[in-house]
């Protein structure tokens, strides 16, 4: 079979580590160029104002005539001229003959606008070479080419600079290499619309504070010329799904958004058209490659099993924001680890334990509130944190436990306190500061969840252990957690969450 391409793209700022390296894939795509005004160049006037300025600049003064040419009511022409262009100093009106002329500022603004619309750069449409559809993505400015090595039909890329090792990447080669037809203007407009919607969601969540893909309204003024598409492979990797309706997903190859419907279902669409990729997903999910069960059937079955378990053991989980989806993933990872005993599932399991507990503790801080936002200062030393904890909850928890948790970031605890007191609408901190913040208001509630169970000291011990082991995994400490420990902590997590959600019944 002929090779699809020897050109490879990557938009990863940093390559994934650990298990993710084993699940990297190159997806085949066709690239089309469009041209649009350079992103980031902002116009000082809108299209309607620009049109009126252009007519006035070439000597058309009659307002009724302007309204007819532009196709609007004369009231709108009067409104723009008298309340927008005159106050901004772009035009001036002679008091005697009512003649309208552009001021030097108006002439310069019009010249800048003309120059802006003529200064174009390339953007890239991405068309899937397996499915045949345009992706809901645009690549701005330039293509990030990646060096690869080929050895016995295997493709390798260089890993992180620290490791210096090569990573074998699964190549999704199309069975049929057929150059596609050029996209229609409607399809291009839809792609731009979908891209901007995904981008808007990303910016709202602040996932890309650098604004790398901020194209604004400029893309709507695109130009598309007759051309032949170029063939490329683009890098992605399989990972846990961020959507509770799936078990896994592909990471967005263009790094625009992690959350929209298109990226969450892309692996489905590719697997139905490419048997080799379907087998790759089954290996990722630790399933029998020879099974006749499709990826969709497998995910549906697994999610039905975990949904049943959720309904039986955690009937009130829906009352806590995001808890059901975290429990869904936790149960899925736990089943994988129990059945397959793969060490690289341990980090995923501990991560899901922490996320599920974080959802509970955020809920706890909202229902067992701090009476004051400034319960503790923003900056405290570790010994000061320990002293505060001993004074607040020393009668409930032994000093050795409070010693272990004093390493918490005090500014994160301050944020959690403020969130609990209603000072901040959201809080983005990890589990440990949420636990410490909850401990600091235990004395205000006789029935506080952290002291309600007889084994509350053991509960805190295991909560701290989950925090510490998760931190080790996140920072590549070299200290490995064994399977038995991970499963025991997941059992504790499920037991504690079952207890907590029952309080809310």
């Amino acid at each position: 079979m002929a090779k699809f391409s020897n050109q490879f793209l990557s938009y990863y700022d940093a390559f994934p580590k650990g298990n993710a390296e084993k699940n990297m894939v190159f997806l085949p795509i066709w690239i089309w160029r469009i041209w649009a005004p350079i992103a980031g160049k902002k116009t000082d006037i809108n299209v309607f104002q620009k049109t009126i300025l252009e007519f006035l600049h070439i000597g058309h003064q009659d307002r009724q005539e302007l309204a007819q040419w532009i196709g609007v009511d004369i009231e709108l022409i009067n409104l723009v001229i008298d309340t927008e262009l005159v106050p901004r100093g772009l035009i001036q009106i002679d008091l005697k003959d009512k003649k309208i002329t552009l001021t030097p500022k108006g002439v310069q603004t019009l010249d800048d606008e003309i120059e802006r619309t003529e200064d174009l750069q390339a953007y890239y449409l991405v068309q899937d070479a397996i499915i045949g559809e345009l992706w809901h993505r645009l690549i701005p400015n330039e293509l990030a080419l990646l060096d690869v090595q080929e050895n016995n039909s295997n493709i390798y890329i260089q890993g992180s600079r620290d490791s210096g090792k090569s990573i074998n990447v699964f190549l999704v080669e199309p069975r049929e290499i057929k150059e596609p037809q050029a996209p229609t203007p409607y399809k291009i407009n839809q792609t731009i619309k979908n891209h901007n919607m995904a981008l808007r969601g990303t910016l709202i969540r602040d996932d890309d504070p650098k604004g790398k893909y901020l194209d604004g309204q400029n893309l709507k003024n695109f130009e598309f010329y007759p051309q032949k598409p170029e063939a490329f492979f683009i890098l992605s990797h399989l990972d846990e799904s961020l959507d509770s309706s799936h078990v896994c997903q592909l990471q967005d190859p263009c790094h625009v958004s992690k959350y929209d419907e298109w990226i969450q279902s892309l692996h489905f669409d590719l697997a139905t058209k490419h048997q080799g990729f379907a087998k790759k997903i089954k290996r990722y999910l630790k399933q029998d490659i020879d099974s006749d069960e499709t990826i969709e059937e497998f995910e549906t079955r697994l999610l039905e099993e975990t949904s049943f378990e959720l309904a039986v053991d955690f009937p009130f989980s829906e009352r806590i924001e995001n808890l059901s989806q975290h429990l869904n993933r936790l149960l899925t990872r736990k089943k994988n680890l129990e059945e397959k005993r793969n060490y690289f599932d341990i980090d995923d399991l501990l991560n899901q334990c922490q996320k599920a507990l974080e959802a509970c503790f955020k809920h706890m801080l909202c229902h067992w509130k701090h009476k004051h936002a400034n319960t503790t200062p923003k900056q405290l030393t570790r010994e000061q944190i320990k002293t505060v904890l001993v004074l607040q909850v020393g009668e409930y928890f032994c000093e050795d436990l409070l010693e272990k948790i004093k390493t918490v970031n005090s500014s994160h605890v301050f944020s959690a306190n403020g969130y609990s007191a209603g000072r901040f609408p959201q809080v983005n901190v990890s589990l440990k500061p949420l636990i410490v913040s909850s401990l600091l208001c235990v004395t205000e509630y006789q029935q506080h969840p952290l002291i309600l169970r007889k084994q509350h000291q053991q509960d805190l011990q295991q909560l701290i252990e989950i925090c510490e082991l998760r931190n080790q995994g996140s920072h590549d400490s070299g200290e490995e957690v064994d399977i038995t420990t991970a499963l025991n902590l997941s059992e504790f997590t499920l037991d504690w969450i079952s207890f907590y959600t029952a309080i809310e019944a």
Side-chain angles (χ1 to χ4, degrees):
M1 182 180 71
K3 287 284 186 182
F4 173 73
S5 176
N6 62 354
Q7 300 183 97
F8 298 83
L9 303 174
S10 171
Y11 288 90
Y12 281 72
D13 294 328
F15 287 113
K17 295 181 179 180
N19 187 34
E21 291 183 353
K22 303 174 184 178
N23 299 305
M24 303 196 81
V25 295
F26 271 125
L27 306 176
I29 56 173
W30 297 98
I31 291 289
W32 301 90
R33 284 177 173 82
I34 63 172
W35 281 262
I38 292 177
K41 281 199 171 183
K42 303 298 182 183
T43 180
D44 290 329
I45 54 176
N46 59 39
V47 174
F48 194 63
Q49 293 168 340
K50 175 175 175 280
T51 303
I52 293 177
L53 286 177
E54 287 173 335
F55 275 117
L56 293 172
H57 194 44
I58 60 177
H60 294 286
Q61 302 285 318
D62 187 271
R63 298 190 183 203
Q64 185 65 54
E65 198 175 52
L66 287 174
Q68 291 174 351
W69 280 334
I70 298 174
V72 297
D73 293 333
I74 190 172
E75 287 80 5
L76 183 57
I77 296 294
N78 292 334
L79 181 70
V80 173
I81 289 176
D82 297 331
T83 67
E84 296 177 9
L85 298 180
V86 170
R88 290 182 59 185
L90 301 178
I91 61 174
Q92 58 188 6
I93 303 174
D94 190 281
L95 295 177
K96 293 181 180 180
D97 58 13
K98 302 298 181 182
K99 183 179 179 180
I100 307 173
T101 57
L102 268 66
T103 64
K105 180 181 178 182
V107 173
Q108 184 62 54
T109 299
L110 190 57
D111 288 344
D112 290 345
E113 176 64 15
I114 293 171
E115 180 183 349
R116 186 191 71 85
T117 57
E118 291 178 349
D119 194 2
L120 305 178
Q121 71 179 15
Y123 295 80
Y124 301 91
L125 303 168
V126 183
Q127 186 166 2
D128 198 298
I130 300 294
I131 304 167
E133 298 293 327
L134 285 176
W135 283 2
H136 294 183
R137 298 290 185 267
L138 284 157
I139 299 173
N141 305 340
E142 61 184 16
L143 300 175
L145 293 173
L146 183 67
D147 289 330
V148 304
Q149 296 85 43
E150 186 171 359
N151 185 4
N152 296 326
S153 298
N154 292 320
I155 296 295
Y156 294 87
I157 61 173
Q158 189 67 33
S160 65
R161 293 179 181 178
D162 295 336
S163 69
K165 65 179 180 180
S166 295
I167 302 170
N168 185 202
V169 182
F170 183 80
L171 198 66
V172 184
E173 285 210 75
R175 293 173 178 267
E176 183 181 7
I177 303 174
K178 185 178 179 181
E179 191 174 291
Q181 292 185 340
T184 64
Y186 173 77
K187 287 284 190 181
I188 297 174
N189 273 309
Q190 287 299 110
T191 298
I192 291 171
K193 179 181 177 181
N194 291 328
H195 169 86
N196 284 336
M197 286 178 64
L199 173 65
R200 194 175 299 117
T202 298
L203 294 175
I204 289 171
R205 289 182 292 267
D206 199 27
D207 289 327
D208 186 11
K210 294 177 290 185
K212 181 179 179 182
Y213 290 86
L214 185 56
D215 300 323
Q217 299 297 312
N218 295 353
L219 283 166
K220 293 181 179 180
N221 301 316
F222 75 87
E223 296 179 16
F224 183 79
Y225 303 111
Q227 60 188 277
K228 284 185 172 293
E230 291 186 72
F232 289 88
F233 285 100
I234 190 167
L235 190 66
S236 181
H237 73 275
L238 288 164
D239 204 350
E240 65 182 69
S241 177
L242 299 170
D243 173 14
S244 59
S245 63
H246 295 299
V247 177
C248 70
Q249 72 172 64
L250 282 164
Q251 293 299 291
D252 184 352
C254 302
H255 278 215
V256 174
S257 177
K258 305 173 184 177
Y259 300 93
D260 64 336
E261 184 179 348
W262 173 79
I263 190 58
Q264 288 164 359
S265 62
L266 180 60
H267 69 296
F268 262 3
D269 299 333
L270 288 171
T272 58
K273 299 284 187 179
H274 195 283
Q275 187 178 8
F277 182 63
K279 290 181 178 179
K280 171 68 176 176
I281 294 178
K282 288 185 177 182
R283 283 195 292 269
Y284 170 76
L285 297 173
K286 326 301 188 293
Q287 296 302 297
D288 182 2
I289 296 174
D290 297 325
S291 171
D292 292 331
E293 190 175 41
T294 67
I295 301 302
E296 185 171 8
E297 289 168 344
F298 162 73
E299 285 200 334
T300 300
R301 175 175 58 80
L302 188 59
L303 289 170
E304 283 176 352
E305 291 174 2
T306 54
S307 295
F308 177 77
E309 194 167 340
L310 275 176
V312 172
D313 295 335
F314 308 94
F316 307 107
S317 61
E318 291 290 345
R319 299 181 184 181
I320 299 175
E321 186 178 4
N322 297 324
L323 179 58
S324 290
Q325 66 185 45
H326 293 318
L327 282 173
N328 223 325
R329 295 170 193 155
L330 194 164
L331 291 167
T332 301
R333 302 300 182 272
K334 183 170 175 286
K335 287 178 186 293
N336 277 339
L337 188 57
E338 287 171 338
E339 294 173 7
K340 305 300 179 181
R341 313 294 290 185
N342 289 318
Y343 278 91
F344 47 74
D345 283 328
I346 291 175
D347 280 351
D348 284 345
L349 180 60
L350 291 175
N351 187 30
Q352 294 307 324
C353 287
Q354 183 153 354
K355 287 181 178 180
L357 289 167
E358 284 172 3
C360 291
F361 274 87
K362 287 180 181 179
H363 180 271
M364 188 187 300
L365 286 170
C366 289
H367 285 70
W368 286 268
K369 293 179 177 290
H370 279 273
K371 299 296 176 66
H372 306 284
N374 297 322
T375 304
T376 58
K378 194 170 186 179
Q379 300 297 329
L380 288 174
T381 66
R382 290 182 176 182
E383 289 306 316
Q384 287 172 331
I385 291 172
K386 179 185 173 182
T387 299
V388 171
L389 286 169
V390 169
L391 290 172
Q392 290 289 330
V393 294
E395 63 179 296
Y396 301 106
F397 300 99
C398 67
E399 191 169 333
D400 288 345
L401 280 179
L402 303 180
E403 175 77 24
K404 290 181 179 180
I405 208 169
K406 72 178 184 181
T407 57
V408 70
N409 185 317
S410 64
S411 65
H412 292 179
V413 176
F414 178 83
S415 296
N417 294 344
Y419 170 72
S420 177
R423 183 176 179 181
F424 308 131
Q426 295 181 343
V427 63
N428 295 309
V429 299
S430 60
L431 180 59
K432 187 183 286 187
L434 295 174
I435 294 172
V436 172
S437 181
S438 296
L439 286 171
L440 291 176
C441 59
V442 159
T443 54
E444 297 174 2
Y445 303 96
Q446 291 184 346
Q447 299 296 309
H448 194 282
L450 285 179
I451 56 173
L452 199 56
R453 297 217 296 182
K454 291 182 179 180
Q455 68 267 36
H456 60 267
Q457 292 226 48
Q458 185 181 353
D459 286 349
L460 182 59
Q461 168 68 41
Q462 294 192 278
L463 288 167
I464 295 171
E465 189 174 356
I466 289 172
C467 293
E468 296 304 322
L469 291 180
R470 179 61 195 139
N471 286 339
Q472 289 176 17
S474 298
H475 296 100
D476 195 22
S477 66
E479 298 182 34
E480 292 189 357
V481 184
D482 62 82
I483 290 175
T484 301
T485 299
L487 289 174
N488 287 342
L489 288 174
S490 69
E491 287 286 357
F492 159 75
T493 300
L494 294 170
D495 174 65
W496 189 90
I497 292 175
S498 179
F499 146 75
Y500 180 73
T501 54
I503 297 175
E504 287 296 289

